[in-house]
Amino acid sequence: MRLALLGCGTVGSEVVRLLHEQSADLAARIGAPLEIAGIAVRRLGRDRGDLPVDEALFTTDPLGLIKRDDVDVVVEVVGGIEPARGWLVEALRAGKSVVTANKALLAEDGPALHDAAAEGGADLYYEASVAGAIPLLRPLRESLHGDRVNRVTGIVNGTTNFILSAMDATGAGFAEALEEATELGYAEADPTADVEGFDAAAKAAILASLAFHTRVTAADVHREGITEVTAADVASAKAMGCTIKLLCIAARGRDAAGRETVSVRVHPAMIPLTHPLASVGDAFNAVFVEAEAAGQLMFYGRGAGGAPTASAVLGDVVAVARNRLAGVRAPSESAYADLAVRPMGEALTRYHISLDVADRPGVLAAVAGVFARHDVSIATVRQGSADGPAGSGDAELVIVTHVAPDAALAATVEELRGLDIVRSVASVLRVEGGA
Ligand SMILES: NC(=O)c1ccc[n+]([C@@H]2O[C@H](COP(=O)([O-])OP(=O)(O)OC[C@H]3O[C@@H](n4cnc5c(N)ncnc54)[C@H](OP(=O)(O)O)[C@@H]3O)[C@@H](O)[C@H]2O)c1
């Protein structure tokens, strides 16, 4: 079994190392020796340390490598949309199975890859694209196929989880926690993809597609990052027995006509400390799956890093290699449900709103009136400490709502901002998980 490795960076070099260290075991598990036919990179002269591989295998011609007759499986760990999409479509159409870690490509144009795989009769595996080492996609696409998944809630970005965990532990602000994450190598020089939620949104699209047998792309995912989360928000969450996490949430629902839909969103949210995801600290990932018959399932582990991600890549390589030897194909994409994606405004959620208000009679009634006008029901109201000195005339109101459509909650906040008795809306956060 011969494979073409596209990319030899953080993940690719660990794939090479593991292939070398475990070659006898892998051959025994597959039933044939596994060899690298070639490695495509951008720079031939790059120092790759003591990588246990023959220099002659390196090439800067990925397409030429893919087209070689002696290549059975293509492993893509380059990343990005193009030229990766062209390479993988070419490989799949030619009947060569593909293993990829490329979440951006799968979330942007998964259907093109699935269609090419069906056309060429090849396998397309991408376990490493979501939550690194954690076996998650295989359970969704195989083990849970006898069940009905209703909701998937995940912490799928290690960088933001590290930052929010640091803010929670030390009371630091976002900028300070990001600086620490960068120094420790948890955040890239340009952290936009992580802190603005793009990376998590790509993973959310992949998870939703698999969980609900439909096609969801990154463009369907409502996305908010963590750059606006303040130390005051974190303190507010703590006061409620909660913590703040960047969550990806994919849930079934129904539209006004009663048709089944799916909503997929990524945003920071408060979750109670008793929720299984609350204890997921540092750069770890975890995904909480709720299924009709199985009930609640939790998947936890390292979501990134060369070796953890390579572990998932090699698991897929063994699977596709076995299939090829047996002359079979893995089950193809399951997208029969074809669910409409519900806009964020219709997603059901809860808000935690912290207001600085004038401390005088009638204020509570005026504020409650705004909620009532938007048909949003209040779950709790707490009067916090006044910001100014005693007798300054200001008070803090902390309001948690019951579940309501996101558009109604957002409109409530907008109207509150316009009230003259509301000095400022200090913080608005969604609440998930029954806090
Ligand atoms: N790093 C992680 O923890 C992690 C976790 C999960 C998923 N992933 C995914 O895995 C993939 C790879 O990530 P990575 O961190 O390993 O990236 P990386 O360290 O930047 O490595 C990228 C590799 O691709 C090669 N490359 C770039 N452009 C190329 C081109 N046009 N032609 C041929 N080769 C090219 C580079 O060549 P040179 O070596 O010559 O520069 C390098 O070897 C991405 O899709 C990423 O999202 C990564």
Side-chain angles (χ1 to χ4, degrees), residues 7-11 40-43 46 48 62 77-79 87 101-103 128 304-305 309:
C8 192
T10 307
V11 179
V41 292
R42 193 174 32 192
R43 297 161 289 177
R46 183 178 172 188
R48 299 182 197 277
V77 280
V78 170
W87 301 335
N102 194 335
K103 58 213 144 197
T309 309

Side-chain angles (χ1 to χ4, degrees), residues 63-420:
L63 214 47
L65 175 59
I66 290 166
K67 286 180 174 169
R68 269 170 47 181
D69 289 339
D70 62 342
V71 166
D72 304 294
V73 175
V74 174
V75 175
E76 186 266 317
V77 280
V78 170
I81 308 298
E82 292 293 357
R85 172 168 39 199
W87 301 335
L88 299 193
V89 165
E90 174 83 27
L92 290 162
R93 283 196 184 138
K96 301 185 182 190
S97 293
V98 163
V99 172
T100 176
N102 194 335
K103 58 213 144 197
L105 175 56
L106 278 152
E108 158 116 355
D109 201 6
L113 300 187
H114 285 294
D115 291 348
E119 209 177 300
D123 281 344
L124 171 64
Y125 274 59
Y126 42 97
E127 184 66 64
S129 66
V130 182
I134 307 173
L136 174 63
L137 303 194
R138 202 81 60 84
L140 283 174
R141 86 185 216 174
E142 291 177 17
S143 321
L144 285 164
H145 263 202
D147 205 336
R148 178 182 161 86
V149 175
N150 288 322
R151 191 178 170 93
V152 178
T153 312
I155 295 171
V156 292
N157 181 271
T159 305
T160 46
N161 203 49
F162 180 89
I163 292 170
L164 291 172
S165 301
M167 288 172 75
D168 190 80
T170 65
F174 170 75
E176 202 185 319
L178 171 61
E179 206 177 301
E180 189 192 350
T182 311
E183 269 165 27
L184 294 173
Y186 288 115
E188 295 189 20
D190 177 0
T192 311
D194 294 317
V195 299
E196 295 291 0
F198 290 101
D199 175 82
K203 294 165 178 171
I206 296 169
L207 286 175
S209 301
L210 287 173
F212 305 126
H213 306 271
T214 190
R215 282 179 166 180
V216 176
T217 68
D220 296 321
V221 182
H222 173 86
R223 176 193 52 78
E224 293 170 33
I226 64 163
T227 52
E228 310 278 304
V229 177
T230 63
D233 291 335
V234 174
S236 267
K238 274 192 168 175
M240 273 189 59
C242 290
T243 185
I244 299 176
K245 297 289 184 191
L246 181 70
L247 297 183
C248 88
I249 301 164
R252 285 185 194 275
R254 293 206 177 269
D255 65 13
R259 281 184 300 257
E260 188 152 60
T261 58
V262 60
S263 78
V264 193
R265 50 199 164 105
V266 167
H267 55 70
M270 287 171 48
I271 51 171
L273 293 175
T274 49
H275 192 284
L277 290 174
S279 57
V280 177
D282 292 326
F284 278 85
N285 282 195
V287 176
F288 188 67
V289 177
E290 293 165 73
E292 201 86 35
Q296 299 180 335
L297 302 157
M298 172 92 157
F299 300 84
Y300 170 86
R302 291 198 183 277
T309 309
S311 160
V313 168
L314 276 186
D316 281 356
V317 167
V318 170
V320 303
R322 278 182 182 152
N323 287 350
R324 280 188 82 81
L325 280 179
V328 297
R329 245 195 105 200
S332 52
E333 182 200 19
S334 173
Y336 68 90
D338 197 20
L339 303 180
V341 178
R342 206 160 15 135
M344 183 61 191
E346 291 174 22
L348 295 178
T349 180
R350 301 169 62 203
Y351 273 25
H352 169 282
I353 303 163
S354 177
L355 303 172
D356 289 331
V357 295
D359 192 5
R360 59 170 190 251
V363 166
L364 202 52
V367 167
V370 175
F371 283 82
R373 268 198 293 288
H374 293 281
D375 213 11
V376 172
S377 151
I378 293 174
T380 61
V381 181
R382 185 165 55 85
Q383 181 156 357
S385 56
D387 218 18
S392 67
D394 283 359
E396 184 195 24
L397 272 188
V398 180
I399 298 166
V400 181
T401 72
H402 281 300
V403 166
D406 197 77
L409 290 160
T412 305
V413 172
E414 256 337 281
E415 193 176 335
L416 287 171
R417 280 187 212 282
L419 285 190
D420 56 358

